[in-house]
Amino acid sequence: MGAGQTPQNPAERPAKSPAASAGRAAEVTVEGAAQATALGLYREMLRIRRFEEKAGQLYGMGLIGGYCHLCIGQEAVPVGLEAVARSDDRRITSYRSHGLMLACGMDPARIMAELLGRATGYSGGKGGSMHMASPAHGFFGGHAIVGAQVPIGTGLAFADRYRGEDRVSFVYFGDAAANQGQVAESYHLAALWKLPVIFVIENNQHGADLPPGGAAAAPDLHSRGAGYGIPGEAVDGMDVEAVIAAGARARAHCAAGRGPVILEMKTYRYRGHSMADPAKYRTREDMHRVRQEKDAIARIRAMLTSRHGVSEDALKTIDREIKAEVSAAAETACAAPEPARDALMQDVPTGAETI
Amino acid sequence: MSARTATDLEIRLPALSPTMESGRLAKWYVSEGDRVAAGDVLAEIETDKATMEFEAETPGTISRLLIPAGGEPIPVDTALALFTPDTQPATQPPRAPEAASAADAGKEAAPAGGSDAPAPAAPQTPAARKPDTSWPQPDWPAATPTRPQTVRDALRDALAEEMHRDAEVFLIGEEVGEHQGAYKVSRGLRDDFGAARVVDTPITEQGFTGLAIGAAFAGLKPVVEFMSFAYALPALGQIVQSAAKARAMTGGALTCPITFRGPNGAPPRVAAQHGTDLAAWAAQIPGLKVAMPYTAADAKGLLKAAIRDPDPVIFLEHELLYGESFDVPTGIDHILPFGRAAIRRPGSDVTLVAAGLAVRHALHAAEALAAIGISAEVIDLRSLRPIDYDTILASLRKTNRCVTVEEGWPVASLGDHLAARITQRTFDWLDAPVLSATGEDIPLPYAANLDSLARVSVEKIVALARQTCYK
């Protein structure tokens, strides 16, 4: 994790799987693969949470502008699915994108630099929180228009089918986007052409700013594909092991040429829709209860000590490492220059016209 | 075979749509000597848009079939068969009013002799209205042979050539495959390239447009056909937000090599919702290149350039141009780069600037102006992004007057943009304000008289050109 440059050759990309990062961390000697995997998952999820907390701080300090959507509470979904995704699979998501970018192996310092609008960011500072892509990581954005990434992600799968390549596309969207017409059209096209796409609904039960239950007339989002013959499954998205199990089943279904799958990840976002949203539509008590009972990171932490016998000290060491890593990423990003003036007119296909 | 009797009527090829000029007799459902009742299907007619059946209007007997099935397209109102009605009506069955201008030609074309004599093609527009298209052609080497080809077939050839050249190019849209395109632009392509590369979609513009953009992000080169650019409107979010902006907003990480093409603007009498010219809208978006060809050679050269372009291109065709023939170079890989205007007719008194169908209007206007002693230079922009300002401004320095011509609406129009640029850059050369001939500032009305009044017309262009010349 944390390569300074985006690798051009997919074979050289930084390892992104939890097992691999656990192995890299080299804490594991005797517990074997299960412990290594669990530690890796813990590390990955914790990195996302610390990164998002840092982003929240920097937003509060006025260093991050515009829109900034944090995924604190939802970490198990991208981390669990990246544990089953092949490194050359494709993934695409909404504006709530930081977690997936980190989980698929992108560099935290470059992501943070983009949030800060710096030249070293993934988009050279021209995209910001919602508009980053790194095809070398199989990551195709970062889309700020609700639902737009759903047909686009279906098209990524179309391209792989067209070329006869055996990748699977992971297309993430929220529960509010699931009500859109273009999502229904995407289900139809994916089912019609049996495209290898996993529609991942991150149901944080707060479609934009609505209270739970306010957004959907038909709340079972995983069964919305039934009319098209698309199998769907509701998953406890706060349980990373459940996410991995469902993800593995879905990926196998797609890889076998049986067409798309819908996974409805029941998850929970602790913060507002964006930094601009105080989230007054839910009570303190409610959120406190979810954090106490369901928090994905707390759950795997407890599992590491009880099931795998990992010591509290060892976990605290990981906590410190992750915190230091995120702080270093933020410092690197803060020190990076703003884009050069001549970047203004670059990357515009038509060539910017001046009088 | 029976001889024609005094009571025989001619059954003529009907106009089955407002813009149908010709059709191919695909199949006879009757034979000579057959008795038919009113409403019996007589034949199947294939047009550039669709295959349709037409029926007997009165009961009677088919006395002779004049046109064999399966031949070349024939003009509307050509006599197809002789028919002996059971009781002779006072007059012939009424003809479709749209076919009136071609009626006389069609009547003369009806063969007097056997049914194997092919009907000579009638001129599709009166000769006096046909603009001179024999201008010098610098777009290909002088020795290159050419042949006349319709815009429709030139587009088809461009698609076929690019699909042969690059396996990652595919065509996707409604009715592009099995039906060979709503306007038959993709005729034969599915047979040549298969259903995997000529992809029929459900009527889901937002879905298949987004899907094609995703395929382009993954490196394929989709050509998205909209049956009409009116139907691109539901997908405009994807085109503008995802395709046009991707490269800039990701600092070049994502590119979108995609072509969006189809008929734009309004054929006659389609009324408000099918009669929208999106040229000025498209040209306003940074990130979209916009081509709007008039001739068949330009249609071919620009479409091939669009497909090879690494970025999104809006390619605006026109239903009223699909059937027009122009010389197209043969034996060369004809590519026309964007941003090169053509002078279609040289002149010295006023410059007319147009693109697409409006070039035809401008050429007709130039003829009319010549008749009153005003020499008009006609510039065909060919692409609206980028725009070839150099050619426009060079012309302005010669004529000192300009009228822009477009089908679309007048507010924030291409004409307004060009007038601003011309004024900014050649103010001292101007002898009159730059004027814009446009469609009226209203949703297109349906009634025939109002439809005509709403459109940009040769008369409007002539009036504005005279105004700039103070005559």
Side-chain angles (χ1 to χ4, degrees):
Chain A
M1 186 71 70
Q5 295 294 315
T6 304
Q8 296 305 305
N9 178 353
E12 290 171 12
R13 68 194 288 278
K16 57 120 188 102
S17 78
S21 49
R24 205 168 49 245
E27 302 97 349
V28 183
T29 53
V30 291
E31 286 293 328
Q35 193 207 63
T37 300
L39 274 170
L41 295 168
Y42 175 66
R43 190 177 270 278
E44 298 282 331
M45 290 195 287
L46 195 62
R47 179 182 292 110
I48 293 172
R49 181 157 304 176
R50 295 289 170 263
F51 182 96
E52 294 289 65
E53 287 166 355
K54 179 64 79 179
Q57 281 172 24
L58 296 176
Y59 191 94
M61 293 162 66
L63 290 168
I64 295 174
Y67 293 101
C68 184
H69 304 81
L70 305 181
C71 68
I72 295 174
Q74 302 184 197
E75 297 89 346
V77 178
V79 169
L81 291 179
E82 282 300 318
V84 301
R86 230 171 54 188
S87 64
D88 67 338
D89 279 348
R90 302 182 193 272
R91 60 274 290 154
I92 190 167
T93 188
S94 68
Y95 40 82
R96 200 177 304 287
S97 56
H98 312 158
L100 178 57
M101 286 192 277
L102 291 165
C104 77
M106 290 169 65
D107 179 355
R110 291 192 65 201
I111 299 171
M112 194 64 90
E114 190 61 42
L115 298 187
L116 292 161
R118 304 305 166 103
T120 53
Y122 272 98
S123 301
K126 290 163 79 171
S129 167
M130 305 184 289
H131 306 302
M132 275 176 261
S134 178
H137 292 88
F139 179 72
F140 288 82
H143 294 266
I145 302 301
V146 172
Q149 77 276 18
V150 182
I152 295 172
T154 309
L156 297 172
F158 178 92
D160 288 324
R161 258 285 302 277
Y162 185 95
R163 291 178 169 134
E165 293 173 353
D166 62 351
R167 296 190 186 94
V168 170
S169 291
F170 291 76
V171 179
Y172 293 73
F173 51 103
D175 41 312
N179 294 322
Q180 283 197 330
Q182 65 183 331
V183 171
E185 294 183 12
S186 300
Y187 288 169
H188 186 200
L189 295 169
L192 190 64
W193 298 329
K194 285 201 177 312
L195 300 179
V197 53
I198 302 174
F199 295 107
V200 182
I201 304 171
E202 293 176 288
N203 185 355
N204 59 30
Q205 302 160 67
H206 287 293
D209 307 329
L210 288 159
D220 272 346
L221 304 181
H222 61 277
S223 58
R224 294 265 180 97
Y228 307 98
I230 303 176
E233 190 178 339
V235 183
D236 180 356
M238 303 300 279
D239 176 354
V240 71
E241 291 185 303
V243 173
I244 291 173
R249 284 191 293 275
R251 198 187 180 289
H253 176 97
C254 284
R258 293 162 67 197
V261 182
I262 297 171
L263 295 181
E264 180 185 357
M265 300 293 181
K266 304 273 197 186
T267 182
Y268 202 89
R269 128 171 92 65
Y270 300 160
R271 299 286 188 96
H273 170 73
S274 71
M275 287 303 295
D277 169 23
K280 287 185 176 160
Y281 39 80
R282 58 189 176 194
T283 63
R284 233 178 133 78
E285 294 71 31
D286 187 34
M287 194 160 73
H288 186 67
R289 183 183 53 78
V290 172
R291 289 194 84 139
Q292 286 293 310
E293 297 171 5
K294 297 203 156 187
D295 185 73
I297 295 175
R299 278 160 89 168
I300 197 155
R301 208 173 197 282
M303 192 182 85
L304 280 165
T305 50
S306 64
R307 198 196 296 173
H308 299 293
V310 177
S311 71
E312 190 65 25
D313 280 352
L315 292 172
K316 280 185 177 165
T317 303
I318 294 178
D319 295 353
R320 277 195 298 273
E321 285 172 6
I322 295 290
K323 199 167 181 181
E325 188 193 326
V326 169
S327 293
E331 280 170 30
T332 306
C334 286
E338 290 192 316
R341 269 190 78 95
D342 63 5
L344 182 67
M345 300 295 193
Q346 285 168 4
D347 293 316
V348 180
T350 35
E353 189 179 309
T354 52
I355 296 170
Chain B
M1 189 180 288
S2 60
R4 182 174 181 173
T5 69
T7 57
D8 275 356
L9 296 179
E10 289 174 349
I11 296 175
R12 293 161 178 276
L13 177 63
L16 300 168
S17 76
T19 58
M20 175 175 163
E21 293 176 341
S22 65
R24 206 174 68 89
L25 207 165
K27 187 176 180 182
W28 278 113
Y29 285 104
V30 293
S31 307
E32 291 178 354
D34 280 1
R35 285 262 308 125
V36 295
D40 281 359
V41 176
L42 299 176
E44 186 177 281
I45 302 296
E46 203 176 272
T47 71
D48 50 359
K49 280 187 188 171
T51 300
M52 283 176 279
E53 294 172 338
F54 82 98
E55 300 88 13
E57 293 179 12
T58 53
T61 305
I62 302 293
S63 48
R64 188 185 303 175
L65 302 182
L66 303 174
I67 303 290
E72 290 297 305
I74 48 175
V76 163
D77 218 38
T78 303
L80 303 175
L82 298 179
F83 176 77
T84 312
D86 283 354
T87 50
Q88 190 184 352
T91 58
Q92 288 201 356
R95 295 195 296 260
E98 290 84 355
S101 66
D104 293 340
K107 197 179 285 176
E108 284 162 18
S115 61
D116 55 348
Q124 297 188 0
T125 48
R129 298 282 290 160
K130 189 85 177 167
D132 174 21
T133 54
S134 59
W135 54 81
Q137 187 47 267
D139 294 327
W140 52 79
T144 310
T146 63
R147 67 182 167 116
Q149 195 175 33
T150 61
V151 170
R152 171 184 299 110
D153 290 345
L155 290 168
R156 196 216 91 96
D157 283 0
L159 286 166
E161 287 173 21
E162 293 307 301
M163 289 175 77
H164 272 300
R165 182 178 171 271
D166 184 348
E168 306 238 293
V169 176
F170 69 100
L171 179 66
I172 184 167
E174 293 153 3
E175 298 189 6
V176 296
E178 193 177 337
H179 292 281
Q180 311 193 81
Y183 296 92
K184 296 289 181 273
V185 169
S186 52
R187 183 191 289 273
L189 291 184
R190 200 178 74 148
D191 292 342
D192 290 352
F193 298 102
R197 296 187 64 196
V198 184
V199 183
D200 278 323
T201 68
I203 303 173
T204 52
E205 286 86 5
Q206 220 182 348
F208 73 71
T209 301
L211 180 145
I213 290 167
F217 284 170
L220 296 185
K221 290 145 192 162
V223 179
V224 178
E225 175 173 314
F226 293 113
M227 196 180 280
S228 154
F229 260 92
Y231 312 150
L233 287 169
L236 216 56
Q238 286 287 3
I239 295 171
V240 175
Q241 298 282 24
S242 303
K245 296 180 180 175
R247 184 192 279 273
M249 75 189 190
T250 64
L254 289 184
T255 55
C256 193
I258 194 168
T259 303
F260 302 103
R261 53 154 289 270
N264 170 64
R269 306 291 308 277
V270 295
Q273 290 183 321
H274 286 73
T276 302
D277 174 13
L278 294 180
W281 291 26
Q284 215 265 331
I285 311 294
L288 297 179
K289 293 171 188 168
V290 183
M292 196 172 187
Y294 166 56
T295 71
D298 289 355
K300 183 174 184 182
L302 287 169
L303 183 55
K304 284 162 69 81
I307 292 169
R308 293 187 199 184
D309 199 279
D311 291 301
V313 177
I314 303 285
F315 193 91
L316 302 171
E317 302 161 11
H318 204 294
E319 183 179 333
L320 296 180
L321 291 176
Y322 283 136
E324 291 254 330
S325 284
F326 299 84
D327 285 343
V328 176
T330 60
I332 60 167
D333 189 23
H334 174 53
I335 304 277
L336 180 63
F338 301 128
R340 274 194 209 167
I343 295 176
R344 292 296 178 216
R345 177 184 172 118
S348 54
D349 295 330
V350 57
T351 301
L352 307 179
V353 183
L357 181 69
V359 176
R360 188 164 83 183
H361 300 323
L363 288 167
H364 288 313
E367 281 176 33
L369 288 165
I372 55 170
I374 295 174
S375 165
E377 179 148 299
V378 177
I379 293 178
D380 177 355
L381 288 175
R382 309 201 281 195
S383 60
L384 307 179
R385 265 285 185 144
I387 290 182
D388 180 358
Y389 294 108
D390 291 346
T391 296
I392 300 170
L393 299 180
S395 178
L396 256 294
R397 292 189 186 100
K398 182 172 66 172
T399 64
N400 314 110
R401 298 170 175 87
C402 181
V403 176
T404 65
V405 187
E406 69 197 290
E407 191 177 352
W409 290 308
V411 177
S413 61
L414 278 169
D416 283 2
H417 169 71
L418 291 171
R421 282 288 186 273
I422 290 165
T423 309
Q424 286 153 357
R425 296 186 190 180
T426 53
F427 182 74
D428 290 341
W429 280 271
L430 288 177
D431 286 345
V434 177
L435 299 180
S436 300
T438 68
E440 296 297 331
D441 192 19
I442 51 173
L444 189 67
Y446 169 70
N449 60 333
L450 299 181
D451 172 284
S452 297
L453 290 169
R455 288 166 186 277
V456 68
S457 64
V458 172
E459 293 70 26
K460 287 179 189 172
I461 301 164
V462 168
L464 293 176
R466 292 181 66 166
Q467 208 176 315
T468 63
C469 296
Y470 308 108
K471 319 195 180 181

